[in-house]
Amino acid sequence: MKAADPNAAPHQPLAERLRPRSLGEVIGQQHLLGPGMALRIAFESGEPHSCILWGPPGTGKTTIARLMADAFDAQFIAISAVLGGVKDVREAVERAQAAREGLAPQRTIVFVDEVHRFNKSQQDAFLPHVESGLFTFIGATTENPSFEVNSALLSRAAVYVLQPLAEADLARIIAKAQAIGAVPALDDAARDRLVAYADGDARRLLNTLENLSTAARSEKRTAIDDAWLLRVLGERMRRYDKGGEQFYDTISALHKSVRGSDPDAALYWFVRMLDGGADPRYMARRLIRMASEDIGLADPRALRLALDAAEVYERLGSPEGELALAECVVYLAVAAKSNAVYAAYNAARAFVRQDSTRPVPMRLRNAPTKLMKQLDYGKGYRYAHDEAGGFAAGENYLPDGMAPPDFYQPVERGLELRIAEKLRELRRLNEEAGGQAPAPAPRG
């Protein structure tokens, strides 16, 4: 994601020497920075706005934030959420106030790296100052901001999704490093292997290039071939020895093997990932996702086992903790499968997104005050525990006038067999009472 700065000193780290000094020098992220794209328009508007930059490591989040400060002639204050806290926020506020009230008033951009590491109170500390316009907030995160950033802060910031750099982008970075004499000549096989190893991460590529250059100088090599590259980097390159498979292709193969109930294939791809240097914590997160997406209520124990395996790894570390993850892989592969909840959730999201905001029926509203009771909040509500079998047959829990949406359709496998039977019985009771079913009759 870098381009050369001709004024950079040769002793600077390669990443700094190649850091873009203008938007036109940025490599990659053209879906955001290309002509007419969202971030390019924001740069050209002359008015900075708070935003969240969400993407994998090494995709240019910090670079974009720094360029934004340059574009708006703003003071740039960087905070690391890993090392910082509320004290750093207070200091940033003081510096922003001083910049605004100085003889030459200046805007301030506060950049928070790994913002998902801040807890709720730390994130809340930014809100009044973002709202007052004291500074523009830019957060960088590798995690989904929907889950990791407070909704109040998220509602005040645009979210831009950065993508891993393409192979062509990474090859351009290598060429720029060679153009300033920072990297020896590379044969085609060595270049392709480096691009594959970088796996869309410009920072990893630049660090590797710098290490290679140091090793090449020590051996007085003027060119790097594939054999020497493998000898120097050794085990770190092994996952690309057989055809240059990409990281996300391999995790996709693991996920599909689990979904396809093949424990041997799942174990194979799982070990391939570990052998290639994948972070076991990343693997644990993916296993939790598989338990939710592909197994769901067919076997609710799967999600608990995935969470337990992640906790065991955190307690034991490598290599002992990896056995718990392997146990989870096998269990997920042999467990009954259902994506019914996953499909129902997506269907509900799509429905709510396009539907109007229907009012909550009066009988379902909370009535904690006398006035609300006088206004008939909660009037007519039937307390299910007081009904026969703990079920208020004929009651309708949807907004008035809304047809049953048929979101959840349990499959005829695992525990969902029993769930389907129960829903059929509840539907029968509702029909006998002349009311509406709380859930659709399962298909099939």
Side-chain angles (χ1 to χ4, degrees):
M1 168 94 214
K2 314 297 179 188
D5 175 16
N7 299 317
H11 62 270
Q12 285 184 313
L14 182 58
E16 188 59 32
R17 294 168 65 189
L18 294 184
R19 185 179 296 280
R21 265 57 187 183
S22 69
L23 204 60
E25 294 179 352
V26 175
I27 296 175
Q29 310 308 334
Q30 292 307 296
H31 66 292
L32 295 175
L33 299 173
M37 297 295 104
L39 258 181
R40 171 63 70 100
I41 292 172
F43 270 83
E44 294 172 349
S45 71
E47 291 295 329
H49 64 271
S50 295
C51 60
I52 304 289
L53 304 176
W54 172 27
T59 51
K61 297 185 289 294
T62 302
T63 293
I64 290 173
R66 288 183 179 278
L67 287 176
M68 194 171 291
D70 293 341
F72 301 120
D73 191 26
Q75 174 183 219
F76 185 79
I77 301 175
I79 299 174
S80 169
V82 177
L83 304 174
V86 174
K87 176 177 177 291
D88 299 87
V89 179
R90 285 197 295 266
E91 291 177 355
V93 169
E94 292 172 0
R95 290 176 61 186
Q97 289 173 335
R100 186 171 66 176
E101 298 167 2
L103 293 177
Q106 187 181 29
R107 293 166 168 158
T108 297
I109 286 179
V110 175
F111 173 69
V112 182
D113 196 18
E114 302 291 339
V115 65
H116 60 275
R117 299 290 188 94
F118 269 166
N119 60 33
K120 184 179 185 301
S121 64
Q122 290 170 320
Q123 292 184 26
D124 283 346
F126 291 103
L127 288 174
H129 310 297
V130 172
E131 290 180 338
S132 70
L134 176 62
F135 55 70
T136 299
F137 171 84
I138 301 180
T141 178
T142 56
E143 304 293 333
N144 189 330
S146 299
F147 306 122
E148 304 295 341
V149 178
N150 289 356
S151 58
L153 186 57
L154 193 60
S155 69
R156 292 162 175 79
V159 176
Y160 298 110
V161 181
L162 281 68
Q163 303 294 340
L165 270 67
E167 292 184 359
D169 294 330
L170 296 169
R172 286 179 62 196
I173 291 174
I174 294 175
K176 285 186 174 293
Q178 291 177 315
I180 63 171
V183 179
L186 292 161
D187 69 18
D188 291 345
R191 185 186 64 250
D192 291 346
R193 190 178 296 278
L194 281 168
V195 167
Y197 174 68
D199 196 29
D201 184 335
R203 186 182 302 118
R204 175 190 283 183
L205 176 64
L206 290 166
N207 290 341
T208 304
L209 288 173
E210 195 151 35
N211 292 337
L212 284 174
S213 297
T214 300
R217 283 197 301 271
S218 69
E219 296 187 17
K220 295 182 171 54
R221 296 185 67 93
T222 58
I224 295 175
D225 58 30
D226 193 44
W228 185 82
L229 178 67
L230 278 174
R231 179 171 66 83
V232 172
L233 295 180
E235 292 296 311
R236 289 187 293 167
M237 304 297 289
R238 186 167 63 188
R239 70 173 173 180
Y240 297 107
D241 281 356
K242 298 178 181 178
E245 296 94 336
Q246 293 297 300
F247 178 85
Y248 292 105
D249 289 341
T250 312
I251 192 64
S252 175
L254 169 59
H255 197 149
K256 290 178 171 65
S257 299
V258 167
R259 182 182 294 145
S261 300
D262 188 331
D264 287 340
L267 267 179
Y268 168 77
W269 293 115
F270 172 71
V271 173
R272 275 279 300 274
M273 294 288 292
L274 294 180
D275 186 62
D279 184 351
R281 293 177 179 85
Y282 169 80
M283 303 299 295
R285 292 196 298 271
R286 291 304 297 252
L287 293 175
I288 293 169
R289 167 72 185 209
M290 294 174 204
S292 298
E293 179 180 338
D294 292 297
I295 296 167
L297 292 180
D299 187 349
R301 297 169 297 184
L303 183 56
R304 182 66 261 170
L305 186 70
L307 290 167
D308 287 344
E311 182 179 348
V312 168
Y313 180 80
E314 290 296 334
R315 287 177 178 266
L316 296 183
S318 294
E320 292 87 351
E322 291 162 3
L323 179 59
L325 298 179
E327 179 182 337
C328 179
V329 167
V330 172
Y331 187 91
L332 298 184
V334 301
K337 302 298 189 296
S338 171
N339 73 339
V341 173
Y342 178 64
Y345 172 66
N346 287 333
R349 289 181 64 196
F351 179 86
V352 169
R353 191 178 301 120
Q354 58 83 35
D355 192 42
S356 60
T357 303
R358 300 170 185 259
V360 177
M362 296 298 287
R363 64 186 176 280
L364 299 182
R365 298 189 187 188
N366 190 30
T369 69
K370 182 178 179 180
L371 173 61
M372 296 169 83
K373 290 176 182 177
Q374 290 174 346
L375 294 174
D376 289 342
Y377 278 48
K379 184 178 181 179
Y381 171 64
R382 296 166 59 191
Y383 189 58
H385 294 290
D386 291 341
E387 304 274 345
F391 176 63
E395 181 61 275
N396 177 28
Y397 296 98
L398 290 168
D400 293 334
M402 178 176 167
D406 291 4
F407 294 141
Y408 178 52
Q409 295 290 334
V411 301
E412 300 291 334
R413 293 186 293 276
L415 180 64
E416 284 199 324
L417 273 168
R418 298 176 61 185
I419 294 174
E421 291 173 0
K422 178 173 182 178
L423 290 180
R424 279 191 284 267
E425 174 62 13
L426 296 181
R427 172 172 282 265
R428 183 188 67 79
L429 292 172
N430 270 318
E431 289 174 349
E432 289 181 355
Q436 178 177 303
R443 298 189 181 103

